[in-house]
Amino acid sequence: MLAQVVFYVFAAVLLLSGVMVISVRNPVHAVLFLILAFFNAAGLFLIAGAEFLAMLLVIVYVGAVAVLFLFVVMMLDIDFTQLREGLQRNAPIGACVGAILFAELVMAVSNWTMAPAGAGGSVQAAPGLTNTAALGTLIYTHYVLLFQACGLVLLVAMIGAIVLTLRQTGSGRRQNIEKQHARTREDTLELVQLPLGENVLEQGGFLRPGTSYYEIAVPGSYGAAEQPKEAEKEETGA
Amino acid sequence: MAQFFYHTLAGQIILMLLETLAVLVPLLIAVAYLTLMERKVMAAMQRRRGPNVNGPFGLLQAFADAIKMIMKETVIPAGANRALFLFAPFLTFSLAMLAWAVIPTGNGLAVADINVGILYLLAISSLGVYGILIAGWASNSRYAFLGGLRSAAQMVSYEVSIGLVIVSVLLAVGSLNLNDIVLAQRHIWFCVPMFPMFIVFFISALAETNRAPFDLPEGESELVAGFFVEYSSLAFGLFFLGEYANMILMSGMISILFLGGWLPPLGLAPFTWVPGPLWLIFKILFCLFVFIWVRATFPRFRYDQLMRLGWKVFLPLSLVWMIATAGFLMATGLLPQVGGVN
């Protein structure tokens, strides 16, 4: 009873958000509705008892793919008036493609049965396994080569994306941590022993041996600040 | 009475609500006092007193802050997307609460003891980025948007290494159930044999919760306050609570994956007298203390350094560690069998 109610809620929200994806104007809203659709599909998986697939759908599609999708759509600068113009021109083509897809779907689903060869060859999971374990044995034991091939296809796609966006090194300023760490004191700092105060007196006596650091750090700052006060006092006194 | 609760629909729903409240109420109080703890601990580290005016030792400061937050005016910027602007903080907050459904506080003592508990945690924590991304976009402000984008890139990057660290732990456990993960640590906590992964996970948890030194999404020196620059009043409060609830959640994950969850450090008499939930709370408090300690100690990372650490250091390290763990378990015959603990 409860499961049925939950199923209808998830299914209704899934269908509604699917419709909203293609009908809302704002592309960011469309992506957010797509995420809602993914989420509800995960809910349906949960009701069907496929908890591993449900979690994977949320982690992979909602947590990673849709984030990047949203990322890109948010950065796009879309002119809505241009989109409306395109709608008039492209509507017939879109309708044709949609009609063909729908017709094919009806033909395929209305009399679909598993081929006898395929039905015989399907692997039965051992009873008593959680569906994570069953899926694991299926993918990594029975279909490991196909799985590896899928992984290679994805690897090629990844490398392709990196190659397309790779910029030649030398553009921009890069931090070379090893170089920074390899710097030693000898490379960068030279200590010179100079007799204190020599050659400086000609410039106005900046370094005066025998006086404290604070007095010589900012020349004239201490003495100059106090002297006028005394001068003022003398003036007022006089 | 038991008949009513276990066998009727209304009873089950009431029971579910009570279980939820039993988790949420302590959690919210913990969040309120975590803010106080952070201020007190940081004050002690910086040789100040911290809040000490409201109540004894400043214990009522958390409530004073909450009342101040609620009484303020909610300001919604003119160009903001109103619905999404208000939705984002609720999403952040409720996701931080949702994840607690699967955290076991004792042997089998969780609201939902599901078979894919760790995946559920990973899924919920990977959703956390939406609250920030939506907030950044809906605010219609440059600073907020930049904060949101930074956060998206940062959280996606560090999720990769978190996922791989979890895989290494799962290899040694042989189950995705959080309860089994804790029980597998009866003999030795995973933080001992997998110490490097413990550190990687901890640092990634800092990045995942946008805490210092990885708090670039809200880097106040360059982005004012990042993604929540336009938020005020209760909406800001929800972000704030969500961040702290996420910190507690991440500390809980660290405790369960590496510090033996509710298990005592040794299975001997004085340790076993303390009940399991208290051990879990001690461990979470320890992790939270380190979170705060790190905040009081380290300067913020630069953005390219953050990305380099995630992709060029943690990712290869956790990948190599994962393969090494698998190889070691295969070679020594310790690899857990399907469907069993250890």
Side-chain angles (χ1 to χ4, degrees), chain B residues 87-171:
Chain B
F87 172 66
F90 280 99
L91 183 73
T92 306
F93 180 69
S94 51
L95 281 175
M97 301 286 123
L98 259 178
W100 280 89
V102 294
I103 300 281
T105 48
N107 198 350
L109 206 63
V111 174
D113 188 14
I114 59 175
N115 277 329
V116 287
I118 191 73
L119 285 183
Y120 175 83
L121 281 183
L122 201 61
I124 294 292
S125 69
S126 69
L127 289 181
V129 66
Y130 283 110
I132 294 171
L133 205 52
I134 292 173
W137 183 78
S139 300
N140 195 22
S141 147
R142 300 288 185 279
Y143 293 123
F145 189 53
L146 276 175
L149 290 184
R150 277 185 177 189
S151 164
Q154 173 180 335
M155 289 172 90
V156 168
S157 308
Y158 279 83
E159 246 154 47
V160 179
S161 55
I162 282 192
L164 285 171
V165 171
I166 288 177
V167 169
S168 324
V169 171
L170 293 181
L171 275 172

Side-chain angles (χ1 to χ4, degrees), chain A residues 202-238:
Chain A
E202 290 84 2
Q203 297 170 5
F206 178 59
L207 284 174
R208 279 170 292 180
T211 51
S212 79
Y213 168 76
Y214 289 105
E215 280 175 0
I216 59 170
V218 184
S221 64
Y222 280 74
E226 282 166 18
Q227 275 165 1
K229 270 186 190 168
E230 288 171 11
E232 272 174 25
K233 271 182 193 167
E234 282 169 16
E235 278 175 17
T236 47

Side-chain angles (χ1 to χ4, degrees), chain B residues 23-224:
Chain B
V23 173
L24 284 190
V25 172
L27 179 63
L28 287 175
I29 295 173
V31 167
Y33 276 95
L34 177 58
T35 59
L36 183 69
M37 173 181 162
E38 172 161 44
R39 293 171 70 172
K40 277 287 190 187
V41 169
M42 282 193 45
M45 286 174 179
Q46 295 161 353
R47 305 186 71 188
R48 296 182 282 118
R49 279 175 187 276
N52 61 353
V53 176
N54 297 311
F57 309 109
L59 282 178
L60 296 177
Q61 181 66 39
F63 298 101
D65 285 344
I67 291 167
K68 181 200 78 176
M69 204 86 86
I70 294 166
M71 301 298 276
K72 280 187 172 179
E73 185 191 354
T74 306
V75 181
I76 299 178
N81 191 319
R82 222 184 148 81
L84 285 180
F85 184 82
L86 293 175
F87 172 66
F90 280 99
L91 183 73
T92 306
F93 180 69
S94 51
L95 281 175
M97 301 286 123
L98 259 178
W100 280 89
V102 294
I103 300 281
T105 48
N107 198 350
L109 206 63
V111 174
D113 188 14
I114 59 175
N115 277 329
V116 287
I118 191 73
L119 285 183
Y120 175 83
L121 281 183
L122 201 61
I124 294 292
S125 69
S126 69
L127 289 181
V129 66
Y130 283 110
I132 294 171
L133 205 52
I134 292 173
W137 183 78
S139 300
N140 195 22
S141 147
R142 300 288 185 279
Y143 293 123
F145 189 53
L146 276 175
L149 290 184
R150 277 185 177 189
S151 164
Q154 173 180 335
M155 289 172 90
V156 168
S157 308
Y158 279 83
E159 246 154 47
V160 179
S161 55
I162 282 192
L164 285 171
V165 171
I166 288 177
V167 169
S168 324
V169 171
L170 293 181
L171 275 172
V173 176
S175 166
L176 296 175
N177 190 320
L178 289 171
N179 211 32
D180 291 348
I181 292 174
V182 175
L183 284 178
Q185 302 178 58
R186 275 164 310 180
H187 306 299
I188 189 162
W189 294 356
F190 284 145
C191 67
V192 178
M194 298 198 184
F195 188 72
M197 290 301 102
F198 173 54
I199 300 298
V200 168
F201 193 90
F202 186 83
I203 296 174
S204 301
L206 287 177
E208 191 75 4
T209 48
N210 294 325
R211 288 285 299 179
F214 303 109
D215 54 348
L216 288 146
E218 54 188 273
E220 69 272 358
S221 52
E222 64 235 64
L223 295 182
V224 194

Side-chain angles (χ1 to χ4, degrees), chain B residues 201-261:
Chain B
F201 193 90
F202 186 83
I203 296 174
S204 301
L206 287 177
E208 191 75 4
T209 48
N210 294 325
R211 288 285 299 179
F214 303 109
D215 54 348
L216 288 146
E218 54 188 273
E220 69 272 358
S221 52
E222 64 235 64
L223 295 182
V224 194
F227 62 90
F228 55 66
V229 65
E230 303 289 349
Y231 282 88
S232 58
S233 176
L234 202 57
F236 172 78
L238 284 176
F239 268 125
F240 196 70
L241 293 181
E243 184 188 328
Y244 282 85
N246 266 329
M247 269 169 73
I248 303 179
L249 175 70
M250 276 295 169
S251 303
M253 270 176 86
I254 295 167
S255 311
I256 283 169
L257 286 173
F258 291 101
L259 299 175

Side-chain angles (χ1 to χ4, degrees), chain A residues 108-195:
Chain A
V109 172
S110 58
N111 50 7
W112 179 80
T113 49
M114 194 178 253
S122 69
V123 181
Q124 290 297 316
L129 283 182
T130 61
N131 67 46
T132 313
L135 209 61
T137 20
L138 198 66
I139 293 175
Y140 293 105
T141 311
H142 296 283
Y143 295 112
V144 66
L145 284 178
L146 289 175
F147 181 74
Q148 296 281 347
C150 291
L152 279 181
V153 171
L154 287 176
L155 182 68
V156 169
M158 257 167 74
I159 294 173
I162 292 169
V163 167
L164 282 177
T165 55
L166 188 68
R167 258 179 287 164
Q168 289 299 315
T169 47
S171 66
R173 294 156 76 185
R174 280 159 197 272
Q175 184 185 18
N176 190 341
I177 289 184
E178 286 75 24
K179 205 173 161 188
Q180 288 183 350
H181 283 175
R183 256 159 67 116
T184 56
R185 189 172 160 172
E186 287 74 36
D187 295 340
T188 50
L189 202 64
E190 190 183 0
L191 282 179
V192 183
Q193 280 290 342
L194 278 181

